[in-house]
């Protein structure tokens, strides 16, 4: 049964994040919307360029994280849309962020994977790849897993960003890895799905 609809006026390419109070999504004109569960607009924040990064919310601290084509990762108050901080990269942030209790992880088209302090917006570490990183990371155990358009799949230490291992495929990797018990699975544009053992 149809409940409601909200017209944003432009294309919406992101996956909405739904909390007990708000629905958050981004749009092609750079708008990040927070809707009430009944579909009424609660707030809107406007980045300088479009949003292809799906928002992720730290429910404990009520912070929404989302990237933009303007090169920033934004940290917004999930209830009001107020900007808490923003972190600048040197390329569009298409990658959707991934969270641990104290850190947000994401990739940028500048070829770097970033780990940023959730509270302060200060960089914890960065890891450089050879080409843009537009896929999204997954954290499992003591490692961050992420693929790159340089055809490599990376396993990085969650605390330091040190590369634990990498695996080369025959195509770009833009998918989000899926973690299971002792296994990490990802797809590549070489038409293949790969399964690798997780670390710790």
């Amino acid at each position: 049964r149809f409940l409601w609809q909200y017209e944003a006026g432009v294309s919406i390419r992101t996956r909405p994040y739904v909390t007990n109070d708000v629905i958050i999504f981004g749009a092609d004109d750079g708008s990040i919307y927070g809707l009430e569960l009944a579909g009424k607009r609660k707030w809107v924040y406007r980045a300088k360029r479009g949003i292809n990064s799906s928002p992720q919310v730290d429910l404990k601290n009520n912070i929404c994280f989302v990237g933009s084509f303007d090169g920033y990762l934004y940290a917004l108050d999930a209830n009001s849309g107020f900007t808490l901080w923003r972190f600048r990269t040197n390329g569009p942030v298409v990658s959707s962020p991934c969270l641990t209790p104290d850190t947000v992880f994401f990739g940028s088209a500048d070829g770097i994977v970033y780990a940023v302090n959730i509270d302060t917006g200060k960089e914890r570490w960065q890891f450089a790849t050879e080409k843009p990183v537009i896929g999204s990371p997954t954290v499992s155990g003591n490692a961050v897993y992420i693929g790159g358009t340089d055809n490599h799949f990376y396993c990085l230490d969650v605390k330091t960003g040190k590369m634990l291992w990498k695996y080369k495929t025959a195509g770009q990797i833009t998918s989000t890895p899926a973690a299971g018990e002792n296994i990490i699975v990802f797809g590549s544009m070489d038409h293949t799905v790969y399964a690798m053992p997780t670390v710790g």
Side-chain angles (χ1 to χ4, degrees), residues 77-117:
D77 184 287
N79 277 338
S80 67
F82 179 79
T83 311
L84 301 174
W85 52 259
R86 60 181 187 171
F87 182 89
R88 183 178 182 179
T89 76
N90 291 312
V93 180
V94 180
S95 174
S96 300
C98 177
L99 306 177
T100 62
D102 59 2
T103 307
V104 53
F105 305 89
F106 64 99
S108 171
D110 63 9
I112 296 175
V113 180
Y114 293 92
V116 175
N117 184 294

Side-chain angles (χ1 to χ4, degrees), residues 13 17 35 56 58 83 86-87 105 107 114 133 142-143 145 147-148 155 165 172 176 180 183 187 191:
R13 305 177 195 271
Y17 194 101
L35 307 183
Q56 184 69 242
D58 172 7
T83 311
R86 60 181 187 171
F87 182 89
F105 305 89
Y114 293 92
V133 179
N142 297 316
Y145 300 89
C155 174
W165 53 258
Q172 297 182 354
T176 304
I183 193 173
H191 310 172

Side-chain angles (χ1 to χ4, degrees), residues 100 105 138-145 156-159 179-180 198-200:
T100 62
F105 305 89
T138 295
V139 174
S140 180
N142 297 316
V144 181
Y145 300 89
L156 310 176
D157 183 275
V158 73
K159 294 296 184 184
T198 55
V199 175

Side-chain angles (χ1 to χ4, degrees), residues 55 81 150:
D150 60 1

Side-chain angles (χ1 to χ4, degrees), residues 18-61:
V18 182
T19 75
N20 291 331
D21 303 300
V22 66
I23 300 163
I24 302 173
F25 65 93
D28 270 8
D29 64 354
S31 297
I32 304 164
Y33 292 94
L35 307 183
E36 296 177 357
L37 298 185
K40 182 180 179 181
R41 190 175 83 185
K42 192 172 185 179
W43 55 261
V44 60
Y45 178 88
R46 289 187 171 85
K48 293 180 180 178
R49 296 189 64 190
I51 310 291
N52 271 30
S53 168
S54 293
Q56 184 69 242
V57 177
D58 172 7
L59 296 174
K60 180 180 178 181
N61 297 301

